[in-house]
Amino acid sequence: MSAGHAGQSGQVDPHKLWNESTRILEQTGVPSPQHDARAILEFVIGKPPYMWPDSISEDEAGRIQQLVSKRKQRIPLQHVLGRMWFLGMELKAQPGVFSVRPETEVLAEWAIQSLAKLQESKSSGKPETLRVLENSLGKADPLRVLDLCTGAGPLALSIARADWEVEVVAVELSDVAAQVAADNAKALGLPVKVVQADALVVVPEWVESYDLVVSNPPYVPPRELEPELEHDPAQALWGGGEDGLDFIRELLPVAYEYLKPGGWLGVEHDDTQGVATVELAREVGFVESYTLQDLNLRDRFLIARKA
Ligand SMILES: C[S@@+](CC[C@H](N)C(=O)[O-])C[C@H]1O[C@@H](n2cnc3c(N)ncnc32)[C@H](O)[C@@H]1O
């Protein structure tokens, strides 16, 4: 990167640096060069573009150039910045932990809406005064949610943030990811219990205990990966088998065990797996199975209910 944008006093115009950084990222095939360059500048300057000063220091410019050159090597933006965002929450990101994806926000929103409906139907029979009293005495029976394969915790954390009584448990096999999920919960002040365990092994005490189970598990079928995905742990990606569905095949019966009758399941999957996952859910005994699409209208989530 040239120093051609340095001003007379050795200071640098951030808008020129943004343009130059965008060009560099574009040339190396980064999919959203302007966005990523802006995110890096925003991160270092600590302000959005409309608040940028006319000039920044050479130290700041040097830091930006370092981060741009990391991104140029196709290191994911989340690892370059050491943080990522999910439904407005800032989360810690680091190598060895799956980077959250925006499409998973659709599953989180579905879960939050489903819980709102469950909460409504639970409290509809009770007089308002009794509900207020129960809440103030901490005696309200909370809705219980399980997030299997939580990674850095985005689903569990966004659900725990909802403003009704909810108890959230998050299960993750990787000790590094489980620690990051726990760190994220602590930093956000959210009461999520993180359990480091294999989500495919049934915990007897949890059977028929949950109102809602969500999961964004490993599901990628065998195929060539775009460079950024190579930075996610293999354990987080590959679903196993020719169709990538081996993990989900094992997960569905486990989730079924954990749900209370009437409880709901939401599982993210590849856009080639919609029909197959609905069929798998039916075979396990779920009812009302259907496929939910992401914002690009791709089949991405299995939704099902335990009768
Ligand atoms: C696709 S990532 C999703 C992470 C997170 N739910 C999200 O949406 O960002 C899948 C996660 O499942 C975890 N995982 C893989 N096998 C597992 C198992 N048997 N039990 C629990 N977690 C597992 C991986 O370590 C990884 O964090």
Side-chain angles (χ1 to χ4, degrees):
M1 205 179 283
S2 76
H5 40 66
Q8 285 171 342
S9 58
Q11 299 231 319
V12 179
D13 177 341
H15 286 94
K16 284 190 185 157
L17 187 53
W18 181 13
N19 287 338
E20 194 173 339
S21 305
T22 300
R23 209 170 45 247
I24 289 168
L25 297 182
E26 201 167 24
Q27 279 161 3
T28 43
V30 169
S32 43
Q34 195 185 33
H35 164 273
D36 290 12
R38 194 200 63 212
I40 290 171
L41 268 93
E42 254 182 36
F43 177 69
V44 173
I45 299 171
K47 295 182 181 117
Y50 68 92
M51 293 176 75
W52 288 348
D54 292 339
S55 62
I56 56 172
S57 72
E58 285 197 329
D59 277 358
E60 285 177 308
R63 178 104 199 282
I64 289 164
Q65 287 168 340
Q66 272 176 1
L67 298 180
V68 168
S69 98
K70 281 192 183 172
R71 184 69 188 105
K72 187 178 147 187
Q73 295 160 42
R74 302 299 293 267
I75 296 174
L77 183 65
Q78 295 93 332
H79 292 176
V80 169
L81 302 181
R83 61 197 64 194
M84 51 195 178
W85 288 265
F86 189 84
L87 284 180
M89 295 182 300
E90 184 176 309
L91 305 177
K92 180 172 164 186
Q94 69 177 59
V97 180
F98 183 81
S99 297
V100 300
R101 302 295 202 274
E103 51 269 32
T104 307
E105 292 183 349
V106 173
L107 182 59
E109 279 167 347
W110 168 83
I112 292 164
Q113 281 165 16
S114 305
L115 284 167
K117 283 187 207 146
L118 285 170
Q119 178 66 37
E120 209 178 284
S121 63
K122 245 176 92 172
S123 22
S124 61
K126 288 185 187 172
E128 178 67 16
T129 42
L130 179 58
R131 265 187 276 152
V132 172
L133 186 66
E134 279 182 348
N135 276 336
S136 63
L137 294 173
K139 293 220 163 141
D141 183 18
L143 289 167
R144 302 194 70 213
V145 179
L146 189 59
D147 174 13
L148 299 173
C149 304
T150 198
L155 288 167
L157 295 166
S158 49
I159 291 166
R161 211 173 41 158
D163 56 358
W164 53 78
E165 281 291 309
V166 64
E167 211 176 271
V168 186
V169 175
V171 178
E172 168 58 47
L173 187 61
S174 143
D175 52 352
V176 182
Q179 187 56 54
V180 167
D183 291 349
N184 282 330
K186 193 167 171 208
L188 292 163
L190 292 170
V192 169
K193 182 178 171 197
V194 180
V195 178
Q196 194 218 333
D198 185 344
L200 300 179
V201 177
V202 176
V203 178
E205 305 88 78
W206 294 355
V207 170
E208 295 220 338
S209 301
Y210 288 90
D211 298 282
L212 187 87
V213 175
V214 285
S215 183
N216 175 14
Y219 57 72
V220 180
R223 68 163 179 244
E224 214 171 292
L225 294 178
E226 47 275 36
E228 277 80 1
L229 275 179
E230 284 162 13
H231 290 267
D232 283 313
Q235 184 176 261
L237 297 177
W238 304 112
E242 279 180 17
D243 54 6
L245 279 170
D246 281 0
F247 194 96
I248 289 182
R249 262 186 206 97
E250 284 192 62
L251 185 78
L252 294 186
V254 177
Y256 191 86
E257 290 272 330
Y258 289 151
L259 281 167
K260 295 177 187 172
W264 283 92
L265 171 73
V267 179
E268 183 167 324
H269 57 67
D270 187 69
D271 61 5
T272 58
Q273 297 166 338
V275 174
T277 50
V278 165
E279 190 46 41
L280 285 172
R282 284 200 192 114
E283 284 167 19
V284 169
F286 283 100
V287 293
E288 295 178 45
S289 313
Y290 66 93
T291 303
L292 184 67
Q293 293 180 323
D294 66 13
L295 298 177
N296 295 314
L297 303 182
R298 292 176 308 168
D299 292 350
R300 294 304 306 277
F301 313 97
L302 164 71
I303 306 299
R305 190 172 70 80
K306 180 167 173 172

